Amino acid sequence: MVFVRITKSKAYYKRYQVKYRRRREGKTDYRQRKRLCCQAKNKYQSPKYRLVVRFTNRQVICQIAYSLIDGDRILTSASSNELPRYGLSVGLKNYAASYCTGLLVARRLLQKVGLDDVYEGNDEIDGNVVSTTDGKTTYYVDEVDEDKRPFRALLDVGCKTTSTGCRIFGALKGAADGGLDVPHSEKRFPGYDRDSKEYDADMHRERIFGGHVGEYMEYLEEEDNTKYQAQFASYLEADVEADGLEELYEGVHEKIREDPSPSEKKGFSPDKSFKRKAKKTLEQRKADVQAKKDIKNAELEEEDDE
């Protein structure tokens, strides 16, 4: 008989506590969430706002959220699926589209709270970090108004890895250039070299205007035209060329600033002509089964006769 040593005693199992459901599913980092949501008691219950950035297989979603005891509340949101309204119908998940979505959610929020005229954001996109010091506080906007302070939101990345050049920081830069006060530095932007501790703002600007996509389009067109036709089929269908990407994104940024308001919701009218079939009774179901049995028995008898 083999003896197995019990490594976990009864005391361990008596004290075992099951983790939260969203922690078990790997959806929520509660250590991060606590630090993003918990507010000091002397702030009189004013919430901490979060810039929530999430990526799906097809789109980028940006939200401005705050938490209450019974769940989160969304002030406003924007999705890259809205970008076709502003002239961008392809590449809705890359770095440049993330920037556009961040810019859209920032302008939409400031319009909602009445700060869009006070904080217009950064029109000249050069990839540099914009910040202003007022007293002991650093604000990440061009200028701080005397009467109204900028709207501050903290970046919420969820469970995504925050590597250098990640698309999340494209959305952050878009929101910061849109006029939101989002604390950040250049250390995770494209163009930052960790070894030399130098930042190439021009490289970041190139990413914002889709320069990396244009370079790859030109490379693929020369090297493997068949793969180019397949991979960039939607670009070719929309007549988007590598040379015109920067001009395209500049136009998108201008249109977003002109009208960041969400589109009107379309009313849903169900098709009332459709009618669900009535359920069969027990007798009808038994009759159907018997009919199938009779057909099968007849086939078997035919095979025996042959």
Coordinates of all heavy atoms in Angstrom, one line a residue, residues 17-98:
Q17 N -11.0 30.6 0.8 CA -12.0 31.5 0.3 C -12.0 31.6 -1.2 O -11.0 31.8 -1.8 CB -11.8 32.9 0.9 CG -12.8 33.9 0.5 CD -12.6 35.3 1.2 OE1 -11.6 35.5 1.8 NE2 -13.5 36.2 1.1
V18 N -13.2 31.4 -1.8 CA -13.3 31.4 -3.3 C -13.1 32.8 -3.8 O -13.6 33.8 -3.2 CB -14.7 30.9 -3.7 CG1 -14.8 30.9 -5.2 CG2 -14.9 29.5 -3.2
K19 N -12.3 33.0 -4.9 CA -12.0 34.3 -5.4 C -13.3 34.8 -6.2 O -14.2 34.0 -6.5 CB -10.8 34.2 -6.4 CG -9.5 34.0 -5.7 CD -8.4 33.9 -6.7 CE -7.0 34.0 -6.0 NZ -6.8 33.0 -5.0
Y20 N -13.3 36.1 -6.4 CA -14.4 36.7 -7.1 C -14.6 36.1 -8.5 O -13.6 35.6 -9.1 CB -14.2 38.2 -7.3 CG -14.2 39.0 -6.1 CD1 -13.4 40.2 -5.9 CD2 -15.0 38.7 -5.0 CE1 -13.4 40.9 -4.8 CE2 -15.1 39.5 -3.9 CZ -14.3 40.6 -3.8 OH -14.3 41.3 -2.6
R21 N -15.8 36.1 -9.0 CA -16.1 35.4 -10.2 C -15.3 36.0 -11.4 O -14.7 35.2 -12.2 CB -17.6 35.5 -10.6 CG -18.0 34.9 -11.9 CD -19.5 35.1 -12.2 NE -19.9 36.5 -12.1 CZ -19.8 37.3 -13.1 NH1 -19.2 36.9 -14.3 NH2 -20.2 38.6 -13.0
R22 N -15.2 37.3 -11.5 CA -14.5 37.9 -12.6 C -13.0 37.7 -12.5 O -12.3 37.7 -13.5 CB -14.9 39.4 -12.8 CG -16.3 39.6 -13.3 CD -16.5 41.1 -13.5 NE -15.7 41.6 -14.5 CZ -16.0 41.6 -15.8 NH1 -17.2 41.1 -16.2 NH2 -15.3 42.2 -16.7
R23 N -12.5 37.4 -11.3 CA -11.1 37.1 -11.1 C -10.9 35.6 -11.6 O -9.9 35.3 -12.3 CB -10.7 37.2 -9.6 CG -9.3 36.6 -9.3 CD -8.2 37.3 -10.1 NE -6.9 36.6 -9.9 CZ -6.5 35.6 -10.7 NH1 -7.3 35.2 -11.6 NH2 -5.3 35.1 -10.5
R24 N -11.8 34.7 -11.3 CA -11.7 33.3 -11.7 C -11.8 33.3 -13.2 O -11.1 32.4 -13.9 CB -12.9 32.5 -11.1 CG -12.8 32.4 -9.6 CD -13.7 31.2 -9.1 NE -15.0 31.3 -9.6 CZ -16.1 31.9 -9.0 NH1 -15.9 32.5 -7.9 NH2 -17.3 31.8 -9.5
E25 N -12.6 34.1 -13.9 CA -12.7 34.1 -15.3 C -11.5 34.9 -16.0 O -11.4 34.9 -17.2 CB -14.0 34.8 -15.7 CG -15.2 34.0 -15.3 CD -16.5 34.8 -15.5 OE1 -16.5 36.0 -15.9 OE2 -17.6 34.2 -15.4
G26 N -10.7 35.5 -15.2 CA -9.6 36.3 -15.8 C -10.0 37.6 -16.5 O -9.3 38.0 -17.4
K27 N -11.1 38.2 -16.0 CA -11.6 39.4 -16.7 C -11.2 40.7 -16.0 O -11.1 41.7 -16.6 CB -13.1 39.3 -16.8 CG -13.6 38.2 -17.8 CD -15.1 38.2 -17.9 CE -15.6 37.2 -18.9 NZ -17.1 37.2 -19.0
T28 N -11.1 40.6 -14.7 CA -10.9 41.8 -13.9 C -9.7 41.7 -13.0 O -9.5 40.7 -12.3 CB -12.1 42.2 -13.0 OG1 -13.3 42.4 -13.8 CG2 -11.9 43.4 -12.2
D29 N -8.8 42.7 -13.0 CA -7.7 42.8 -12.1 C -8.1 43.7 -11.0 O -8.1 44.9 -11.1 CB -6.5 43.4 -12.9 CG -5.2 43.5 -12.0 OD1 -5.4 43.2 -10.8 OD2 -4.2 43.9 -12.5
Y30 N -8.5 43.1 -9.9 CA -9.1 43.8 -8.8 C -8.1 44.7 -8.0 O -8.4 45.7 -7.4 CB -9.8 42.9 -7.8 CG -11.2 42.4 -8.3 CD1 -11.3 41.2 -8.9 CD2 -12.2 43.3 -8.2 CE1 -12.6 40.8 -9.4 CE2 -13.5 42.9 -8.6 CZ -13.6 41.7 -9.2 OH -14.9 41.3 -9.7
R31 N -6.8 44.3 -8.1 CA -5.8 45.1 -7.5 C -5.7 46.4 -8.2 O -5.5 47.5 -7.6 CB -4.4 44.4 -7.5 CG -3.3 45.1 -6.7 CD -2.1 44.2 -6.7 NE -1.1 44.8 -5.9 CZ -0.1 45.6 -6.3 NH1 -0.1 45.9 -7.6 NH2 0.8 46.1 -5.6
Q32 N -5.7 46.4 -9.5 CA -5.7 47.6 -10.4 C -7.0 48.4 -10.2 O -6.9 49.6 -10.1 CB -5.5 47.1 -11.8 CG -5.5 48.3 -12.8 CD -5.7 47.8 -14.2 OE1 -6.8 47.4 -14.6 NE2 -4.7 47.8 -15.1
R33 N -8.1 47.7 -10.2 CA -9.4 48.4 -10.1 C -9.6 49.1 -8.8 O -10.1 50.2 -8.8 CB -10.5 47.3 -10.3 CG -11.9 48.0 -10.2 CD -13.0 46.9 -10.5 NE -14.3 47.5 -10.2 CZ -15.0 48.3 -11.0 NH1 -14.5 48.6 -12.2 NH2 -16.1 48.8 -10.7
K34 N -9.1 48.6 -7.7 CA -9.2 49.3 -6.4 C -8.5 50.6 -6.5 O -9.0 51.6 -6.0 CB -8.6 48.4 -5.3 CG -8.8 49.0 -4.0 CD -8.0 48.2 -2.9 CE -8.0 49.0 -1.6 NZ -7.1 48.3 -0.6
R35 N -7.3 50.6 -7.1 CA -6.5 51.8 -7.1 C -7.1 52.9 -8.1 O -6.9 54.1 -7.9 CB -5.1 51.5 -7.4 CG -4.3 50.9 -6.2 CD -3.2 50.0 -6.6 NE -2.5 49.5 -5.5 CZ -3.0 48.5 -4.7 NH1 -4.1 48.0 -5.0 NH2 -2.3 48.1 -3.7
L36 N -7.8 52.4 -9.1 CA -8.4 53.3 -10.0 C -9.7 53.9 -9.5 O -10.1 55.0 -10.0 CB -8.7 52.6 -11.4 CG -7.5 52.3 -12.3 CD1 -7.9 51.4 -13.4 CD2 -6.9 53.6 -12.8
C37 N -10.4 53.2 -8.7 CA -11.8 53.6 -8.2 C -11.8 54.2 -6.9 O -12.7 55.1 -6.6 CB -12.7 52.4 -8.3 SG -12.9 51.7 -9.9
C38 N -10.9 53.8 -5.9 CA -11.0 54.3 -4.6 C -10.7 55.8 -4.5 O -9.6 56.2 -4.9 CB -10.1 53.5 -3.6 SG -10.9 51.9 -3.2
Q39 N -11.5 56.5 -3.9 CA -11.4 58.0 -3.7 C -11.1 58.3 -2.3 O -11.6 57.7 -1.4 CB -12.6 58.7 -4.3 CG -12.5 60.2 -4.2 CD -11.5 60.8 -5.2 OE1 -10.3 60.7 -4.8 NE2 -11.9 61.3 -6.3
A40 N -10.3 59.4 -2.0 CA -10.1 59.8 -0.7 C -11.4 60.3 0.0 O -12.2 60.9 -0.7 CB -9.0 60.9 -0.7
K41 N -11.6 60.1 1.3 CA -12.8 60.5 1.9 C -13.0 62.0 2.0 O -14.2 62.5 2.1 CB -12.8 59.9 3.4 CG -13.0 58.4 3.4 CD -13.2 57.9 4.8 CE -13.5 56.4 4.8 NZ -13.7 55.9 6.2
N42 N -12.0 62.8 1.9 CA -12.1 64.2 1.9 C -12.5 64.8 0.6 O -12.5 66.0 0.4 CB -10.9 64.9 2.5 CG -9.7 64.7 1.7 OD1 -9.7 63.9 0.7 ND2 -8.5 65.3 2.0
K43 N -12.8 64.0 -0.4 CA -13.2 64.4 -1.7 C -14.7 64.5 -1.9 O -15.2 64.8 -2.9 CB -12.6 63.5 -2.8 CG -11.1 63.3 -2.8 CD -10.4 64.5 -3.3 CE -8.9 64.3 -3.4 NZ -8.2 65.3 -4.0
Y44 N -15.4 64.3 -0.8 CA -16.9 64.4 -0.7 C -17.6 63.6 -1.8 O -18.4 64.1 -2.6 CB -17.3 65.9 -0.9 CG -16.7 66.7 0.3 CD1 -15.5 67.5 0.1 CD2 -17.2 66.7 1.5 CE1 -15.0 68.2 1.1 CE2 -16.7 67.5 2.6 CZ -15.6 68.2 2.3 OH -15.0 68.9 3.4
Q45 N -17.2 62.4 -2.0 CA -17.8 61.4 -2.9 C -17.7 61.8 -4.3 O -18.5 61.3 -5.2 CB -19.3 61.2 -2.5 CG -19.4 60.5 -1.2 CD -20.9 60.1 -0.8 OE1 -21.8 60.7 -1.5 NE2 -21.1 59.3 0.1
S46 N -16.8 62.7 -4.7 CA -16.6 63.0 -6.1 C -15.9 61.8 -6.7 O -14.9 61.3 -6.2 CB -15.8 64.2 -6.3 OG -14.5 64.1 -5.7
P47 N -16.4 61.2 -7.8 CA -15.9 59.9 -8.4 C -14.6 60.1 -9.1 O -14.3 61.2 -9.6 CB -17.0 59.5 -9.3 CG -17.7 60.7 -9.8 CD -17.6 61.7 -8.6
K48 N -13.8 59.1 -9.2 CA -12.6 59.1 -10.1 C -13.1 58.6 -11.4 O -13.7 57.5 -11.5 CB -11.6 58.1 -9.5 CG -10.6 58.7 -8.5 CD -9.5 57.7 -8.2 CE -8.6 58.2 -7.2 NZ -7.5 57.2 -6.8
Y49 N -12.8 59.3 -12.4 CA -13.2 59.0 -13.8 C -12.1 58.2 -14.5 O -10.9 58.4 -14.3 CB -13.6 60.2 -14.6 CG -14.8 61.0 -14.1 CD1 -14.6 62.1 -13.3 CD2 -16.1 60.5 -14.3 CE1 -15.7 62.8 -12.8 CE2 -17.2 61.2 -13.8 CZ -17.0 62.3 -13.0 OH -18.1 63.0 -12.5
R50 N -12.5 57.2 -15.3 CA -11.6 56.3 -15.9 C -11.8 56.4 -17.4 O -12.9 56.4 -17.9 CB -11.7 54.9 -15.5 CG -11.8 54.7 -14.0 CD -11.6 53.3 -13.5 NE -12.4 52.3 -14.3 CZ -13.6 51.9 -14.1 NH1 -14.3 52.5 -13.1 NH2 -14.2 51.0 -14.8
L51 N -10.7 56.4 -18.2 CA -10.7 56.3 -19.6 C -10.5 54.8 -19.9 O -9.4 54.3 -19.9 CB -9.6 57.1 -20.3 CG -9.4 56.9 -21.8 CD1 -10.6 57.2 -22.6 CD2 -8.2 57.6 -22.3
V52 N -11.6 54.1 -20.2 CA -11.6 52.6 -20.4 C -11.3 52.4 -21.9 O -12.1 52.8 -22.7 CB -12.9 52.0 -19.9 CG1 -12.8 50.5 -20.1 CG2 -13.2 52.3 -18.5
V53 N -10.3 51.6 -22.2 CA -10.0 51.3 -23.6 C -10.0 49.8 -23.8 O -9.3 49.1 -23.0 CB -8.6 51.8 -24.0 CG1 -8.3 51.5 -25.5 CG2 -8.5 53.3 -23.8
R54 N -10.8 49.3 -24.7 CA -10.9 47.8 -24.9 C -10.8 47.5 -26.4 O -11.3 48.3 -27.2 CB -12.2 47.3 -24.3 CG -12.3 47.4 -22.8 CD -11.3 46.5 -22.1 NE -11.5 46.5 -20.7 CZ -10.9 47.4 -19.8 NH1 -10.0 48.3 -20.4 NH2 -11.1 47.4 -18.6
F55 N -10.3 46.4 -26.8 CA -10.2 46.0 -28.2 C -10.9 44.7 -28.4 O -10.8 43.7 -27.6 CB -8.7 45.8 -28.6 CG -7.9 47.0 -28.7 CD1 -7.3 47.6 -27.6 CD2 -7.8 47.7 -29.9 CE1 -6.6 48.8 -27.7 CE2 -7.1 48.9 -30.0 CZ -6.5 49.4 -28.9
T56 N -11.7 44.6 -29.4 CA -12.3 43.4 -29.8 C -11.6 42.9 -31.1 O -10.7 43.5 -31.6 CB -13.8 43.5 -30.1 OG1 -14.0 44.3 -31.2 CG2 -14.5 44.2 -28.9
N57 N -12.2 41.9 -31.8 CA -11.6 41.4 -33.0 C -11.8 42.4 -34.2 O -11.1 42.3 -35.2 CB -12.2 40.0 -33.4 CG -11.6 38.9 -32.5 OD1 -10.6 39.1 -31.9 ND2 -12.4 37.8 -32.4
R58 N -12.8 43.3 -34.0 CA -13.1 44.2 -35.1 C -13.1 45.6 -34.8 O -13.2 46.5 -35.8 CB -14.5 43.8 -35.6 CG -14.6 42.4 -36.3 CD -16.1 42.1 -36.7 NE -16.1 40.9 -37.4 CZ -16.0 40.7 -38.7 NH1 -15.7 41.7 -39.5 NH2 -16.1 39.5 -39.2
Q59 N -13.0 46.0 -33.6 CA -13.2 47.5 -33.3 C -12.4 47.9 -32.0 O -11.9 47.0 -31.2 CB -14.6 47.8 -33.1 CG -15.3 47.1 -32.0 CD -16.7 47.5 -31.7 OE1 -17.1 48.6 -32.0 NE2 -17.6 46.5 -31.3
V60 N -12.3 49.2 -31.8 CA -11.8 49.8 -30.6 C -12.9 50.4 -29.9 O -13.7 51.1 -30.5 CB -10.7 50.8 -30.9 CG1 -10.0 51.3 -29.6 CG2 -9.7 50.3 -31.9
I61 N -13.0 50.3 -28.5 CA -14.1 50.9 -27.7 C -13.4 51.7 -26.7 O -12.6 51.2 -25.9 CB -15.0 49.8 -27.1 CG1 -15.6 48.9 -28.2 CG2 -16.1 50.4 -26.3 CD1 -16.3 47.7 -27.6
C62 N -13.8 53.0 -26.6 CA -13.3 53.9 -25.5 C -14.5 54.4 -24.8 O -15.6 54.8 -25.4 CB -12.6 55.1 -26.1 SG -11.0 54.6 -26.9
Q63 N -14.4 54.4 -23.4 CA -15.5 54.8 -22.6 C -15.0 55.7 -21.5 O -13.8 55.5 -21.0 CB -16.2 53.6 -21.9 CG -16.9 52.7 -22.9 CD -17.5 51.5 -22.3 OE1 -16.9 51.0 -21.3 NE2 -18.5 50.9 -22.8
I64 N -15.8 56.7 -21.0 CA -15.5 57.4 -19.8 C -16.4 56.9 -18.7 O -17.6 57.1 -18.8 CB -15.6 58.9 -20.0 CG1 -14.8 59.4 -21.1 CG2 -15.3 59.7 -18.7 CD1 -13.3 59.3 -20.9
A65 N -15.9 56.3 -17.7 CA -16.7 55.6 -16.7 C -16.3 56.0 -15.3 O -15.2 56.5 -15.0 CB -16.5 54.0 -16.8
Y66 N -17.2 55.8 -14.4 CA -17.0 56.0 -12.9 C -17.7 54.9 -12.2 O -18.7 54.4 -12.7 CB -17.3 57.4 -12.4 CG -18.8 57.7 -12.5 CD1 -19.6 57.6 -11.4 CD2 -19.3 58.2 -13.7 CE1 -20.9 57.9 -11.5 CE2 -20.7 58.5 -13.8 CZ -21.5 58.4 -12.7 OH -22.8 58.7 -12.7
S67 N -17.3 54.6 -11.0 CA -17.9 53.4 -10.3 C -18.8 53.9 -9.1 O -18.5 54.9 -8.4 CB -16.8 52.5 -9.7 OG -16.0 53.2 -8.8
L68 N -19.9 53.2 -8.9 CA -20.7 53.3 -7.8 C -20.8 52.0 -7.1 O -20.3 51.0 -7.6 CB -22.1 53.8 -8.2 CG -22.2 55.2 -8.8 CD1 -23.7 55.5 -9.2 CD2 -21.7 56.2 -7.8
I69 N -21.4 51.9 -5.9 CA -21.4 50.7 -5.1 C -22.1 49.6 -5.8 O -21.8 48.4 -5.6 CB -22.0 51.0 -3.7 CG1 -21.5 49.9 -2.7 CG2 -23.5 51.2 -3.8 CD1 -21.7 50.2 -1.3
D70 N -23.1 49.9 -6.7 CA -23.8 48.9 -7.4 C -23.4 48.6 -8.8 O -24.1 48.0 -9.6 CB -25.3 49.2 -7.3 CG -25.6 50.5 -8.0 OD1 -24.7 51.3 -8.2 OD2 -26.8 50.7 -8.4
G71 N -22.2 49.2 -9.2 CA -21.7 49.0 -10.5 C -21.2 50.3 -11.2 O -21.3 51.3 -10.6
D72 N -20.7 50.1 -12.4 CA -20.1 51.3 -13.1 C -21.2 52.0 -13.8 O -22.2 51.5 -14.2 CB -19.0 50.8 -14.1 CG -17.8 50.4 -13.3 OD1 -17.7 50.5 -12.1 OD2 -16.8 50.0 -14.0
R73 N -20.9 53.3 -14.1 CA -21.8 54.2 -14.9 C -20.9 54.7 -16.0 O -19.8 55.1 -15.8 CB -22.3 55.3 -14.1 CG -23.2 54.9 -12.9 CD -24.5 54.3 -13.3 NE -25.4 54.0 -12.2 CZ -25.3 52.8 -11.5 NH1 -24.4 51.9 -11.8 NH2 -26.2 52.6 -10.5
I74 N -21.5 54.8 -17.2 CA -20.8 55.3 -18.4 C -21.2 56.7 -18.7 O -22.4 56.9 -18.9 CB -21.0 54.4 -19.6 CG1 -20.7 52.9 -19.2 CG2 -20.2 54.8 -20.8 CD1 -19.2 52.7 -18.8
L75 N -20.3 57.7 -18.6 CA -20.7 59.0 -19.0 C -20.9 59.2 -20.5 O -21.8 59.7 -21.0 CB -19.6 60.0 -18.6 CG -19.7 60.6 -17.2 CD1 -18.6 61.6 -16.9 CD2 -21.0 61.4 -17.0
T76 N -19.9 58.7 -21.3 CA -20.0 58.7 -22.7 C -19.1 57.6 -23.3 O -18.2 57.1 -22.6 CB -19.6 60.0 -23.3 OG1 -19.9 60.1 -24.7 CG2 -18.1 60.3 -23.1
S77 N -19.3 57.2 -24.5 CA -18.5 56.2 -25.1 C -18.4 56.5 -26.6 O -19.2 57.2 -27.2 CB -19.1 54.8 -24.9 OG -20.3 54.7 -25.6
A78 N -17.3 55.9 -27.2 CA -17.1 56.0 -28.7 C -16.5 54.7 -29.1 O -15.8 54.0 -28.4 CB -16.2 57.2 -29.0
S79 N -16.8 54.3 -30.4 CA -16.3 53.1 -31.0 C -15.7 53.4 -32.3 O -16.2 54.4 -33.0 CB -17.5 52.1 -31.1 OG -17.1 51.1 -32.0
S80 N -14.8 52.6 -32.8 CA -14.2 52.9 -34.1 C -15.2 52.5 -35.2 O -14.9 52.8 -36.4 CB -12.9 52.1 -34.3 OG -13.1 50.7 -34.1
N81 N -16.3 51.8 -34.9 CA -17.3 51.5 -35.8 C -18.1 52.8 -36.3 O -18.8 52.8 -37.3 CB -18.4 50.6 -35.3 CG -17.9 49.1 -35.3 OD1 -16.9 48.8 -36.0 ND2 -18.5 48.3 -34.5
E82 N -17.9 53.9 -35.5 CA -18.5 55.2 -35.9 C -17.6 56.0 -36.8 O -18.1 57.0 -37.4 CB -18.7 56.0 -34.6 CG -19.6 55.4 -33.6 CD -19.7 56.3 -32.3 OE1 -20.0 57.5 -32.5 OE2 -19.4 55.8 -31.2
L83 N -16.4 55.6 -37.0 CA -15.4 56.3 -37.9 C -15.8 56.4 -39.3 O -15.4 57.4 -40.0 CB -14.0 55.8 -37.7 CG -13.4 55.9 -36.3 CD1 -12.0 55.3 -36.3 CD2 -13.3 57.3 -35.9
P84 N -16.6 55.4 -39.9 CA -17.0 55.6 -41.3 C -17.9 56.9 -41.5 O -17.9 57.5 -42.6 CB -17.9 54.4 -41.6 CG -17.2 53.3 -40.7 CD -16.8 54.1 -39.5
R85 N -18.5 57.4 -40.4 CA -19.2 58.7 -40.5 C -18.3 59.9 -40.8 O -18.7 60.8 -41.4 CB -19.8 59.0 -39.1 CG -21.3 58.6 -39.0 CD -21.8 59.0 -37.6 NE -21.8 60.4 -37.4 CZ -21.8 61.0 -36.2 NH1 -21.7 60.3 -35.1 NH2 -21.9 62.3 -36.1
Y86 N -17.0 59.7 -40.4 CA -16.0 60.8 -40.5 C -15.1 60.5 -41.7 O -14.1 61.2 -41.8 CB -15.3 60.9 -39.2 CG -16.1 61.3 -38.1 CD1 -16.5 60.3 -37.1 CD2 -16.7 62.5 -37.9 CE1 -17.4 60.5 -36.1 CE2 -17.5 62.8 -36.8 CZ -17.8 61.8 -35.9 OH -18.7 62.1 -34.9
G87 N -15.4 59.5 -42.5 CA -14.6 59.3 -43.7 C -13.5 58.2 -43.6 O -12.8 58.0 -44.6
L88 N -13.5 57.4 -42.5 CA -12.5 56.3 -42.4 C -13.3 55.0 -42.3 O -14.0 54.7 -41.3 CB -11.7 56.5 -41.1 CG -10.6 55.4 -40.9 CD1 -9.6 55.5 -42.0 CD2 -10.0 55.6 -39.5
S89 N -13.2 54.2 -43.4 CA -14.0 53.0 -43.5 C -13.2 51.7 -43.4 O -13.7 50.6 -43.4 CB -14.8 53.0 -44.8 OG -14.0 53.1 -45.9
V90 N -11.8 51.9 -43.4 CA -11.0 50.7 -43.4 C -9.9 50.9 -42.3 O -9.7 52.0 -41.8 CB -10.2 50.5 -44.7 CG1 -11.2 50.1 -45.8 CG2 -9.5 51.8 -45.1
G91 N -9.4 49.7 -41.8 CA -8.4 49.7 -40.7 C -8.9 50.3 -39.5 O -8.4 51.3 -38.9
L92 N -10.0 49.7 -38.9 CA -10.7 50.3 -37.8 C -10.1 49.7 -36.5 O -10.8 49.9 -35.4 CB -12.2 50.0 -37.9 CG -12.9 50.6 -39.1 CD1 -14.4 50.2 -39.0 CD2 -12.7 52.1 -39.2
K93 N -9.0 49.1 -36.5 CA -8.4 48.5 -35.3 C -7.0 48.8 -35.1 O -6.4 48.3 -34.1 CB -8.7 47.0 -35.3 CG -9.0 46.4 -33.9 CD -9.1 44.9 -34.0 CE -7.9 44.2 -34.3 NZ -8.0 42.7 -34.2
N94 N -6.4 49.6 -36.0 CA -4.9 49.8 -35.9 C -4.6 51.0 -35.0 O -5.5 51.6 -34.4 CB -4.3 50.0 -37.3 CG -5.0 51.1 -38.1 OD1 -5.5 52.0 -37.5 ND2 -4.9 51.0 -39.4
Y95 N -3.4 51.4 -34.9 CA -2.9 52.5 -34.0 C -3.6 53.8 -34.4 O -4.1 54.5 -33.5 CB -1.4 52.6 -34.0 CG -0.8 53.4 -32.9 CD1 -0.4 52.8 -31.7 CD2 -0.7 54.8 -33.0 CE1 0.1 53.5 -30.7 CE2 -0.2 55.5 -31.9 CZ 0.2 54.9 -30.8 OH 0.7 55.6 -29.7
A96 N -3.7 54.1 -35.7 CA -4.2 55.4 -36.1 C -5.7 55.4 -35.8 O -6.3 56.5 -35.4 CB -4.0 55.5 -37.6
A97 N -6.4 54.3 -35.9 CA -7.9 54.2 -35.6 C -8.1 54.4 -34.1 O -9.1 55.0 -33.7 CB -8.5 52.9 -36.1
S98 N -7.2 53.8 -33.3 CA -7.2 54.0 -31.9 C -7.1 55.4 -31.5 O -7.8 55.9 -30.6 CB -6.1 53.2 -31.2 OG -6.2 51.8 -31.5

